[in-house]
Amino acid sequence: MRYFLILFLLLSTLSATTPSLDDKLSLIEKQEKHFLSMIRAEYITVLEKREIQRLEALRQEKIRYALEHETSFLAVRIKALVKSHLSYVSLLVKKEKHRQDELRRIAKIRQRHLLAKIDISKQRMHVYKGDTLLYKWKISSGKKGHATPRGKYKAIFTVKDYKSRTYNNAPMPYSVFFKYGYAIHGTKSVNRLGSRASHGCIRLHTQNAKKFYALVRKMGKKNTTIRINN
C-alpha cells in the first residue's frame, strides 16, 4: 500500500513539472507572435527611415528650387527698386534746383525792393533794401490831434522842394508822398526828432530825407513800400 502511495506521488510530481501538449502549443504561438511583432517592427522602422530620407531629399530639392527662384526674383525686385529710387532722387534734384532758382529769383526781386518800416511808439524809421538794413533814423510823427495814418503804403510821388499849402508854405524838402497830404520829408526842427511833433507827416533830418528821396528815385516808386505801425 505504501509503495502505491509513493508511485502516485511520483506521477503527480512528474505531471506537475512536465508541460502538457496544450501548454507547448500555447508557448509556441506566443513565441511566433513575438517573433512576428519583432519582424514587423523592424520592417516598419526600415520603411519609416526610407520615407524620412525621401521626404528630406524632397524638402532639400524644394529649398534649392525656392532659393534659385527667390534669388532671381530678388535681383529683379532690387533692380526695379534701384531704378525707382534713382528716378525719385532725380525728381528731388530737379525740385531742389527749381527751389533754388526760385529763391534766387525772389532774392533778386527783394533786392530791387525798398522798405521803410516806421515805428510810431519808438519814433524810429528803418530802411531796408531787400533783407539788408541800410539806415536807422529818428523821426517825428504826428502830434496829438494830427495822427499819422497807420498801414502799408506805396510811394505815390516825390517832390524835391515842396512847400505845404496847408501850413503856411512850410518847407518839406525831399518829400516822398505815400498818401494824399502825407509825406516823409526833411525838417529844420531836428531838436524835436524822436518825439511827436508834426501835423501827420513823417519828419526826418534833412540829410536823411535826401538819402531816402534818392533811394526812392533810384529803386522806383512801385518798388517802395512804407509800413507804419504802432
Side-chain angles (χ1 to χ4, degrees):
M1 186 67 181
R2 186 174 58 183
Y3 294 111
F4 284 108
L5 181 59
I6 292 171
L7 182 60
F8 177 76
L9 289 173
L10 287 172
L11 290 173
S12 298
T13 304
L14 289 173
S15 63
T17 56
T18 303
S20 64
L21 181 60
D22 292 336
D23 293 336
K24 287 181 179 181
L25 289 174
S26 177
L27 180 61
I28 290 171
E29 287 178 358
K30 289 180 180 179
Q31 290 176 349
E32 286 179 350
K33 288 180 181 179
H34 178 67
F35 181 70
L36 288 174
S37 63
M38 289 178 61
I39 292 175
R40 189 179 296 106
E42 184 67 23
Y43 180 70
I44 291 172
T45 302
V46 171
L47 290 178
E48 286 178 349
K49 287 181 179 179
R50 289 179 181 176
E51 183 64 16
I52 290 171
Q53 290 173 354
R54 187 184 70 80
L55 292 175
E56 181 63 22
L58 182 61
R59 190 177 71 86
Q60 293 294 335
E61 183 65 24
K62 287 182 178 180
I63 290 172
R64 281 194 297 271
Y65 179 82
L67 286 175
E68 289 175 359
H69 285 72
E70 183 68 17
T71 303
S72 176
F73 173 77
L74 285 175
V76 173
R77 182 61 178 164
I78 289 171
K79 186 176 179 180
L81 286 173
V82 169
K83 186 177 180 181
S84 175
H85 180 69
L86 289 175
S87 298
Y88 180 67
V89 169
S90 177
L91 179 63
L92 288 180
V93 170
K94 288 180 180 178
K95 285 186 176 181
E96 180 61 20
K97 185 176 181 300
H98 177 72
R99 189 180 73 86
Q100 293 294 336
D101 291 342
E102 187 67 14
L103 288 175
R104 282 191 289 269
R105 186 183 70 81
I106 293 172
K108 288 181 180 179
I109 293 174
R110 289 173 69 88
Q111 286 302 316
R112 295 196 298 266
H113 187 76
L114 189 67
L115 172 64
K117 293 177 68 174
I118 298 169
D119 189 331
I120 298 298
S121 63
K122 295 180 180 179
Q123 293 292 291
R124 292 292 185 272
M125 174 172 163
H126 295 75
V127 180
Y128 294 86
K129 182 183 178 183
D131 295 324
T132 305
L133 176 63
L134 299 180
Y135 302 109
K136 180 180 179 182
W137 297 320
K138 288 183 179 181
I139 66 163
S140 282
S141 64
K143 59 187 177 182
K144 187 176 181 181
H146 299 277
T148 299
R150 273 62 163 176
K152 182 179 178 181
Y153 305 94
K154 287 289 185 181
I156 303 172
F157 62 94
T158 59
V159 182
K160 185 176 180 180
D161 295 308
Y162 187 81
K163 289 183 172 45
S164 174
R165 288 174 291 184
T166 306
Y167 299 104
N168 302 318
N169 289 323
M172 297 169 56
Y174 304 106
S175 291
V176 177
F177 283 86
F178 57 89
K179 188 177 180 180
Y180 181 78
Y182 297 92
I184 299 172
H185 61 80
T187 182
K188 293 180 180 179
S189 302
V190 293
N191 60 327
R192 303 291 301 275
L193 292 175
S195 63
R196 306 185 187 203
S198 77
H199 290 93
C201 290
I202 300 296
R203 293 178 180 176
L204 292 172
H205 192 289
T206 301
Q207 291 302 315
N208 296 336
K210 182 179 180 179
K211 291 177 183 178
F212 184 65
Y213 175 88
L215 280 171
V216 174
R217 299 277 292 180
K218 180 181 178 180
M219 303 291 289
K221 294 186 292 293
K222 67 179 181 179
N223 293 325
T224 301
T225 300
I226 298 165
R227 188 178 298 159
I228 304 173
N229 298 316
N230 286 330

